Structures are given as structure tokens and as C-alpha cells.
Amino acid sequence: MSFTLEDLKTVSNLARLDLSDEELAQMVGNLNKVLESFRGLQQLDLSGIEITAHSVDTHSVWREDEPRNGLSRAEALSAAPASHAGLFLVPRIIE
Amino acid sequence: MGFVVSVGMEVHAELLTKTKMFCGCPNAFGGEVNTRVCPVCLGLPGSLPVINRAAVRHVLATALALNCSIARRSLFHRKNYFYPDLPKGYQISQYEETNPIGYHGHLELPTGKRIGIKRVHLEEDTGKLLHLPDGRSGIDYNRAGVPLMEIVTDFPPDIHSSEEAKQYLQYLRLTLIYLGVCDGKMEQGSLRCEPNISIAEEGSKSLGVKTELKNLGSFKAVALGIQHEAERMEAAVAKGETLRQETRGWDEKAERSYPMRVKEFESDYRYFPDPDLPPMKFEDAFIEEVRNSLPELPTARHRRYTSSFGLSDYDAELLIAEPAWAEFFDACVNKGGEPKAVCNWMNGDFAKMLNESGTVVSESRITPDHLADLVALVSSGQISGKMAKEVFETSFATGQMPRDIAQKQGLSQLSDKEAIRKIVIAVLNENADSAQKYRSGKTGVLGFLVGKVIQQSSGRANPQLVNELLIEELKR
Ligand SMILES: [Zn+2]
């Protein structure tokens, strides 16, 4: 089963990528080649091997529950494209 | 044709920690907007999350209290979606069947019914969207990154009525409060419940399509919302309509649900392990240490009060409603207070006085010593039940021990036979006609005479002794 143009449109929408028809057509071909390579990998027998989610062999890295200073509100809002009354302004959202 | 209602419960609980889940910003309620933020919880480039150990411990304690299996190795995943309530573009959560810290457990209700728990996992809360009067939307990120525990019931569901759903939520909430992991304040949103409801014809194998209900801000709303939703679905089916899977909001004022706009691609979260967070591993020693620290839980307490002390379900439920209240009761009993009497005082006069004075038990002048003392004075016959009420009121107001109040006010019940006999004789002399009636067989006047004697003693005479002595003197 190959990766269709529709699949690509769904994925690019999820990733908020605005791709032109040309780019979409080109990428469908490229992504199908990438998937083909993975199909080769999937033929390897990996039973009994634990999934590697992390490349570094470390675990249970905790932080004690102690407060630390963060940013002032002015600092926090300084990078916001728009703010009002201490709030980050975003495009109108209807629930 | 009957319908079977099935209810799945998804509960989110904000954890009682000093700081957020992955950064050192304070975890608090209220205050000025965007004042508890830092590069981590604002999702600024280059910042890295670090796991709050206290939050993990809270979830572990909850999972153990809910009889869950504990994951030996547990990962955090990224749940990807674009919505401004989380600035990173994803929520850090936990995915998969046996990866969450706890899975495959149950909560047992005092009735003995077990509600299966599918998973107990740890994630981060989102920021708050505020709709400005001019139509724009603003965001406060104070809540973004606050440790959030999600508890999901089994599928297929064990809950089949709104009443059962309410009881489950009630005992789950109490369990979290007893564990000290969540304050359970539904009105502040620190405990949130999103039930999903389906109906199916009796005997049918399929469960029917689900409606998810949101915006339930109280116990009443949860029970009413589920009930109304089941009724709405049954009415729709009766009319021959086809139900569709949807998310509906609850309008608390109008007491009805309304369809909510569904976010596009809602289910396509593309979960994957968060590369910024190494896995957590739970060793036996840590699990056992947490297990040994668990307090007696509400269901067990309820059972102890009803089976060991013979209290009613209703009384037991009132006593366990707050840890401090239940501890007060236990302390009184440990000091020798007769359980049923202690319970009656607590759920009666004491609760009423606290309520009227707007105080809580921990602030009251009444300690377990006071109540145990009062109960002992009554049961030994030293003061009557009526006097005890007055003594308790004084004790509540002043903090004096009941024993001292009774002594000072001369409230001790008169049990001195000869002292009572004197009053009895005087009363019989004053009411010679009544005495005569009694002697001629009209024994019904005895009650009148008893009342006279007690009145003469300013209410202090022991009624049983008065009774005995009157009969003795009348027969003389
Ligand atoms: Zn922060």
C-alpha cells in the first residue's frame, strides 16, 4: 500500500504545513521512496528487542518539588505578537 | 423495551504539589494572570522539562490505592495538537495500555461493587482560554504545566446509572483527598469529570455510540448530566433517530446538554515517546515504601464504622466526608467514647454548631477530649441528655471541659436517693388528690407526679430514681 496524495494532505494539515500542489506532488514521490526503505527494515527479525525510545541509557531523572523563579509577566509577554491585560492574545477561538 | 445505560468516567485531578510538572513554577490557584510562567511551561526554544518527583509519587500512591498494577518502566509521550492552550504544540502525557504508571485496577465502593480502572496516568494541565468582551481570545498560562493525573474506568463500563457514576466519583474524590494528592475542589476545576454515556437495548451485545459530556462543574451536574443524556438518547431512539458519536456540553443553568463543535482531526494525536524525558523505572523498594505510607481509605473506613461500630450507612458517610472529621471521630472512640453516642453528637449538635458558626472542626475549641468527656458524663448517668446539650454549648463557646462546666453550674444530675425522696414527699403532700387517685387505681397520674418532682429539682433529678421512689412512697 502506497502513501497517497490524500494521506499527505492530511499529514501536512496536522503539521500546519502549507504546501503548494507542486510541492505535494513532489513529496508524495519522495515519501513513498522513504517508506520503501523502511519496509526493508521491517523485514528484520527484532523479536525480543526492547523498543529504543531514547538513545542514552539513563532513567528516573527527577527534580525535587522546590519552587524556582520563572519569568516576570513583562518578560513572558515580551515575545508575544500581541497581548492585552496580561494575557497572550490569540486568534479568536469559538468553543 | 428497556435500555441499559453504560457510563465510562474520565477524571482529571490537579495534583497537590508545590511546583508544576516539569518546571519550578509554583502550582497555585487564582492570582494575577501569567505570573507563574517560565521558558519550560511557555514552550520557549531551548528549554528542557525535568520530572517533578512529588507528582510521580502522588500518582504512584493513587495507583496503589486503586489496586492497580504498576508499570516497571513508564514513558512520557507527546500528544500532538495545535491549540493555543499549550504553547509547545503538544501535551506531555502517557500513552498505551501498560505504560501508564498504574493500570488494570479497581475502586471498591462500600456496597461491595467494584468499578474497574483502566489506567492512572500523569500528564500536564493546559493554560486557560479567556474570551474577551471584544471577541478576541486571551490566554493565561499559569495553569499550563500543572501536574494532572488522569483516571479512566474500564471498558466495557461497570457503571450503569447516574447514581452509580456519582457514587464512584464521590469515593474517588474522597480517596484522592485522603491520600493528600488532590484537594477535590470541583468548583475550582482541580477535579474534573468527563463521562461518556451510551445506551443499548437490554440483552444487546453492542454498547451503542457514545456521547462525551463536558463542563460538569459539580456532583449535581455530573449526576443530572448523565441522567439527562441517557434520557435524551432513549427518546431519540424511540423516535427512530440514529445516534451519532459526539461531544456535548452541559448547561448547568438550563439543565440540558448542547452539541459542541468538534476540533478537526481530534483523534489524530500522533503520540510518540518524548525524547526530552528519559523513562521512569520503579523499583520494588520505592513501590513498597509508597504502599506502606497509604492511609486508611474511605471505603475501608466506611466499612469499619458500619461493621465494627454498627453505625448506619448514612452516619458512616457523614463521618468519612472529610479526613479531619473522621479522625476526630476515631480519636473520641480511642479515648473511650461510645461510638454510637460520639457519632450522634458529631453528626447532630456538633455539626450544626460548626455550621452555624462557620468554623471547621480543626478550628473548634472542642477537642476529642471534650466530646469523650461529655459522652462519659451522660452514659454514667451524671448528667441527663438535656443537660448535656447545655454543657456542650458552653463547652463549644468557651473550650471548658464538660466535667468542669457541669460541676460549676451545679448541673450534675441528682442521683442522691434521700435528696430526691425529700422532694417526692413534698410533692405528694402538695398534690394529695393526685396521690389519692393513684392509690385508687388510676396509675396514669404517675407521669404527672414524676414531672412535678423533676420540675422541683430544677430538672436535675434522675427520672428513673424519681419513678422508683414515687411508687415506693405511694405504696407506703
Ligand atoms: Zn514554568
Side-chain angles (χ1 to χ4, degrees):
Chain A
M1 205 185 82
S2 70
F3 189 74
T4 66
L5 191 63
E6 281 312 303
D7 293 333
L8 179 58
K9 281 181 178 167
T10 304
V11 173
S12 56
N13 188 19
L14 285 171
R16 298 294 188 271
L17 293 174
D18 194 10
L19 301 175
S20 67
D21 286 350
E22 251 170 58
E23 287 170 315
L24 285 169
Q26 194 192 352
M27 277 198 161
V28 161
N30 290 345
L31 281 169
N32 270 312
K33 278 184 203 152
V34 172
L35 287 174
E36 202 52 51
S37 309
F38 274 92
R39 258 187 278 279
L41 284 174
Q42 271 174 337
Q43 275 153 21
L44 298 171
D45 179 14
L46 301 174
S47 54
I49 295 177
E50 206 178 319
I51 293 169
T52 310
H54 298 83
S55 53
V56 184
D57 186 23
T58 173
H59 65 85
S60 309
V61 180
W62 320 112
R63 173 177 66 80
E64 290 308 314
D65 189 21
E66 299 296 342
R68 282 172 61 170
N69 281 336
L71 298 173
S72 70
R73 185 157 78 188
E75 285 172 315
L77 292 170
S78 65
S83 66
H84 173 74
L87 297 166
F88 289 85
L89 283 190
V90 293
R92 191 176 172 188
I93 291 157
I94 311 157
E95 290 232 20
Chain B
M1 170 178 42
F3 287 101
V4 176
V5 179
S6 294
V7 184
M9 299 280 273
E10 200 177 296
V11 169
H12 285 98
E14 284 180 348
L15 298 176
L16 284 172
T17 54
K18 291 200 220 60
T19 66
K20 291 188 180 180
M21 187 59 233
F22 299 110
C23 63
C25 291
N27 171 12
F29 179 78
E32 293 282 302
V33 298
N34 288 312
T35 50
R36 299 187 293 271
V37 290
C38 75
V40 174
C41 55
L42 287 177
L44 299 187
S47 62
L48 282 172
V50 187
I51 301 166
N52 181 343
R53 189 173 191 270
V56 174
R57 198 194 153 94
H58 281 349
V59 176
L60 191 55
T62 307
L64 289 168
L66 297 176
N67 308 289
C68 287
S69 299
I70 304 299
R72 288 307 159 129
R73 182 174 180 275
S74 186
L75 291 175
F76 282 105
H77 292 82
R78 290 186 182 180
K79 178 182 178 178
N80 297 279
Y81 67 91
F82 283 107
Y83 200 63
D85 61 357
L86 268 178
K88 298 192 295 294
Y90 58 86
Q91 179 188 28
I92 303 177
S93 183
Q94 296 199 284
Y95 191 51
E96 292 168 355
E97 182 82 8
T98 59
N99 171 67
I101 296 176
Y103 57 93
H104 299 168
H106 65 264
L107 175 68
E108 191 166 327
L109 301 175
T111 54
K113 166 128 190 176
R114 285 183 176 188
I115 309 295
I117 304 283
K118 189 174 162 193
R119 61 166 198 266
V120 180
H121 82 230
L122 185 50
E123 58 186 33
E124 56 181 337
D125 209 346
T126 60
K128 261 188 190 164
L129 276 166
L130 299 156
H131 302 289
L132 301 173
D134 60 8
R136 291 179 297 177
S137 296
I139 307 196
D140 170 17
Y141 286 118
N142 280 345
R143 200 183 65 178
V146 161
L148 194 66
M149 174 166 63
E150 183 176 300
I151 302 164
V152 182
T153 54
D154 257 346
F155 188 84
D158 294 321
I159 297 171
H160 296 292
S161 69
S162 60
E163 190 46 45
E164 254 175 23
K166 192 180 148 195
Q167 214 186 13
Y168 164 76
L169 186 61
Q170 190 185 342
Y171 275 86
L172 179 63
R173 174 178 175 273
L174 277 180
T175 300
L176 302 183
I177 291 174
Y178 273 69
L179 290 169
V181 302
C182 175
D183 64 19
K185 291 180 181 163
M186 289 185 78
E187 67 285 0
Q188 289 186 0
S190 52
L191 188 73
R192 310 195 279 272
C193 173
E194 284 167 9
N196 59 71
I197 301 125
S198 63
I199 61 162
E201 279 175 35
E202 254 166 46
S204 155
K205 282 203 177 101
S206 81
L207 277 165
V209 293
K210 291 190 283 190
T211 300
E212 196 178 312
L213 213 50
K214 288 182 184 271
N215 300 344
L216 299 166
S218 67
F219 273 98
K220 193 184 151 214
V222 170
L224 216 55
I226 292 171
Q227 194 192 326
H228 277 234
E229 189 51 26
E231 283 166 8
R232 188 192 66 82
M233 290 169 119
E234 282 175 26
V237 170
K239 276 192 279 181
E241 289 169 23
T242 312
L243 298 170
R244 58 194 178 91
Q245 187 158 336
E246 61 179 333
T247 301
R248 297 178 72 90
W250 179 248
D251 183 336
E252 191 148 13
K253 272 193 196 136
E255 294 193 347
R256 60 181 191 86
S257 68
Y258 57 90
M260 286 176 96
R261 227 174 61 141
V262 180
K263 281 176 229 154
E264 266 177 293
F265 305 109
E266 190 161 34
S267 58
D268 205 345
Y269 291 127
R270 294 157 296 143
Y271 285 94
F272 67 90
D274 192 324
D276 288 344
L277 293 160
M280 299 180 282
K281 284 191 184 175
F282 300 116
E283 312 289 343
D284 284 341
F286 183 42
I287 295 172
E288 287 318 304
E289 186 247 307
V290 176
R291 195 194 301 276
N292 291 333
S293 73
L294 298 182
E296 185 184 25
L297 297 170
T299 298
R301 218 152 188 158
H302 186 286
R303 199 159 289 162
R304 180 161 62 83
Y305 289 174
T306 50
S307 63
S308 307
F309 299 149
L311 302 183
S312 68
D313 283 341
Y314 177 77
D315 273 333
E317 203 141 279
L318 288 177
L319 289 177
I320 64 166
E322 263 175 64
W325 196 234
E327 271 150 31
F328 190 97
F329 173 77
D330 279 340
C332 292
V333 172
N334 286 338
K335 289 177 187 299
E338 198 273 312
K340 183 71 192 156
V342 171
C343 168
N344 287 344
W345 279 104
M346 285 184 67
N347 291 342
D349 292 50
F350 193 19
K352 195 169 153 242
M353 286 181 202
L354 287 172
N355 197 19
E356 280 169 1
S357 62
T359 45
V360 293
V361 62
S362 59
E363 298 163 356
S364 170
R365 290 196 169 93
I366 298 286
T367 67
D369 281 315
H370 289 81
L371 189 50
D373 185 41
L374 184 76
V375 167
L377 286 175
V378 178
S379 68
S380 63
Q382 292 178 73
I383 60 173
S384 69
K386 190 168 163 271
M387 292 170 192
K389 277 179 181 283
E390 283 172 38
V391 170
F392 192 59
E393 268 173 37
T394 311
S395 189
F396 184 86
T398 63
Q400 285 174 278
M401 284 304 275
R403 193 171 298 275
D404 299 335
I405 298 165
Q407 227 155 41
K408 263 185 224 157
Q409 300 191 353
L411 277 174
S412 289
Q413 191 166 34
L414 196 54
S415 296
D416 178 341
K417 258 190 172 181
E418 291 322 302
I420 296 175
R421 194 186 299 274
K422 269 185 201 158
I423 304 171
V424 164
I425 292 167
V427 166
L428 286 179
N429 286 339
E430 281 166 31
N431 300 277
D433 51 335
S434 297
Q436 195 48 47
K437 276 183 191 163
Y438 182 89
R439 290 189 182 106
S440 65
K442 289 181 183 161
T443 51
V445 297
L446 188 66
F448 165 76
L449 293 167
V450 170
K452 281 279 167 199
V453 176
I454 292 177
Q455 201 184 348
Q456 286 275 313
S457 74
S458 317
R460 291 170 58 221
N462 178 329
Q464 215 176 328
L465 272 179
V466 172
N467 219 47
E468 275 170 35
L469 292 170
L470 263 172
I471 295 172
E472 232 180 272
E473 289 300 320
L474 283 163
K475 285 182 177 164
R476 205 176 276 268

